[in-house]
Amino acid sequence: MSDIAKIEIDGNSYEFPIYVGTENEKAIDVKKLRALTGGVTTIDPGYKNTGSCISEITFLNGEEGILRYRGYCIEELAEKADFLEVAYLLIFGELPTQEQLQKFENDIKDNAILDDDLRKILEAFPRKAHPMGVLASLTSALTAFNPSSVDASSEEAMYNAIVKIMGKLPVLVAWTMRKSKGLPLDYGNKKLGYIENLLQMMFKQPNEKYKVNPIIKNALDKLLILHADHEQNCSTSTVRIVGSSHAGLFASLSAGISALWGPLHGGANQAVLEMLAAIQEDGGDTAKYMAKAKDKNDPFRLMGFGHRVYKNFDPRAKIIKVAADEVLADLGVEDPILDIAKGLEREALKDDYFVSRKLYPNVDFYSGIIYRAMGIPTEMFTVMFALGRLPGWIAQWKEMRQNNEPIGRPRQIYIGKNIRPFVSIENR
Ligand code: SDX
């Protein structure tokens, strides 16, 4: 801590310490505000100016477009690491040795079988059910088969819960997709790596051997790394606040999946593809959609653009845009949607409405184009985001519980009616 903030209220002056982080971010510590001022609180809808916690996991600098997991730049991790390595880094704080990584992967594989009764729950869903609703329900249903809530103070109990969910969620993701396609549920092959086996579980046809395409495997590995954590975004904050009541890890993750579903958050990757397809239907009329996005009377927003924190390029969008070009070229896929996306980006980046509001493409703008080239259905895009974000949610939940953070319970300012006597129904 260093420096002091002075606040004057009704002629009284109060001093509050200023928290300074390792990257020189500053926050006024208002933990004692109500007590010192006789009940004054802060108000900040959407928490645009409010920090909920101190954390060692992820650092973002929105002005400079910086993203680091445990101090490592996202650009290096996306290039040089694989998803399980990054998951280990986020959850346990250090890059794993070869031996640690091998044990992590083996323990995850040993926990990748679901209770067969979960199939019955899955079978009960209509085929057209949105995969995010199915995934949130099945993740919550895991608590029925793993009833004991993890003892967060025990590293061993935490580790066992972590490898359990890291093993089971990919199966739920794959089964959710196969359910929507009426395909038999598959466990893949334990001999395969994490991403290869996920692809096999998702795409293997019952009557043929499945051969992993290395281009798709590498692209998916990179996409999951890029989505793995993002400090206190909406869904991570949800996982933290649900976990702060000491609800279990799986229940907290299920809540995070539901929060991610929203089109303003992770659901944007599906909404981007739907928007680009609509523009394509409209003969590529990007100007019409730009005008809609700028029209205050039109609720339409340019999906995949803008960010609460990034007021510069989302570094993930930069990496994914390059990857989209490479994957489509390597797969020999000509997708006019990519050209429409690039055209829209070009126009927005020179339009004052977007420039003045610092609205740049975010992680969701290009990711769907790659998922689509991989043959993943549009409604599954946010499910892939959830799988990528799983290690981040776990890491943040673990940090919150092991820091013994208090139950999350924000205050409010009441602006309703003052006290009034009850009126019997005859007199109303
Ligand atoms: C993710 O938080 C995270 O880290 C999230 C995430 C993660 O990894 O977890 O990065 C993932 O959720 C990325 C964002 C995906 N969502 C979208 O792409 C949906 C479209 N974008 C927006 O709805 C919006 O930009 C948000 C929700 C992302 C951010 O909203 P804010 O920070 O609350 O900003 P705002 O709504 O106050 O907008 C500021 C101004 C407003 O105009 P004015 O009132 O100043 O005139 O910018 C406008 C907004 O109307 N605006 C847009 C816009 N985004 C903001 N106008 C048109 N199109 C848009 N996309």
Side-chain angles (χ1 to χ4, degrees), residues 48 60 226-227 229-236 260 262-269 271-272 292-294 296 300-311 314 316 353-354 357 359 362-365 385 389:
K48 294 193 176 189
L60 297 191
L226 292 168
H227 286 81
D229 194 48
H230 215 238
E231 55 130 283
Q232 304 313 315
N233 59 85
C234 178
S235 53
T236 299
L260 187 71
L264 294 188
H265 189 15
N269 58 16
V272 166
K292 280 171 64 69
K294 291 154 55 174
K296 286 299 158 203
F300 175 79
R301 287 193 158 193
L302 207 57
M303 301 314 278
F305 262 78
H307 198 276
R308 173 59 57 78
V309 176
Y310 290 124
K311 299 308 170 193
D314 180 334
R316 303 165 297 175
Y353 173 94
F354 293 91
R357 291 169 176 79
L359 303 177
N362 59 50
V363 68
D364 293 306
F365 190 62
F385 191 149
R389 186 52 53 89

Side-chain angles (χ1 to χ4, degrees), residues 146-176:
N146 304 275
S148 57
S149 183
V150 62
D151 170 5
S153 64
S154 154
E155 280 303 336
E156 186 190 356
M158 269 311 313
Y159 182 84
N160 292 337
I162 288 161
V163 294
K164 209 176 260 185
I165 193 66
M166 286 294 294
K168 294 178 185 336
L169 201 74
V171 182
L172 295 179
V173 164
W175 286 11
T176 298

Side-chain angles (χ1 to χ4, degrees), residues 28-102:
I28 303 171
D29 180 340
V30 292
K31 279 201 284 288
K32 296 195 169 70
L33 177 63
R34 285 194 89 249
L36 289 175
T37 60
V40 174
T41 62
T42 60
I43 188 95
D44 185 21
Y47 311 111
K48 294 193 176 189
N49 305 280
T50 300
S52 61
C53 62
I54 50 175
S55 177
E56 302 177 52
I57 300 168
T58 292
F59 172 67
L60 297 191
N61 179 314
E63 282 61 44
E64 293 172 39
I66 292 172
L67 171 58
R68 297 191 204 124
Y69 296 161
R70 301 281 189 180
Y72 294 97
C73 295
I74 192 66
E75 294 79 4
E76 277 206 278
L77 291 170
E79 196 54 45
K80 300 172 183 169
D82 71 26
F83 178 58
L84 276 196
E85 232 176 327
V86 170
Y88 189 99
L89 169 68
L90 283 166
I91 294 168
F92 301 108
E94 295 297 336
L95 285 168
T97 61
Q98 188 62 51
E99 192 188 347
Q100 287 167 328
L101 184 59
Q102 194 56 63

Side-chain angles (χ1 to χ4, degrees), residues 215-281:
I215 298 160
I216 291 181
K217 182 257 171 191
N218 293 332
L220 184 52
D221 200 282
K222 185 175 282 195
L223 280 170
L224 295 182
I225 288 171
L226 292 168
H227 286 81
D229 194 48
H230 215 238
E231 55 130 283
Q232 304 313 315
N233 59 85
C234 178
S235 53
T236 299
S237 300
T238 301
V239 170
R240 275 184 171 254
I241 203 163
V242 170
S244 73
S245 74
H246 288 199
L249 175 60
F250 298 173
S252 305
L253 293 172
S254 173
I257 292 168
S258 296
L260 187 71
W261 191 358
L264 294 188
H265 189 15
N269 58 16
Q270 173 182 338
V272 166
L273 253 292
E274 288 162 352
M275 173 186 73
L276 294 173
I279 294 172
Q280 188 183 34
E281 295 268 304

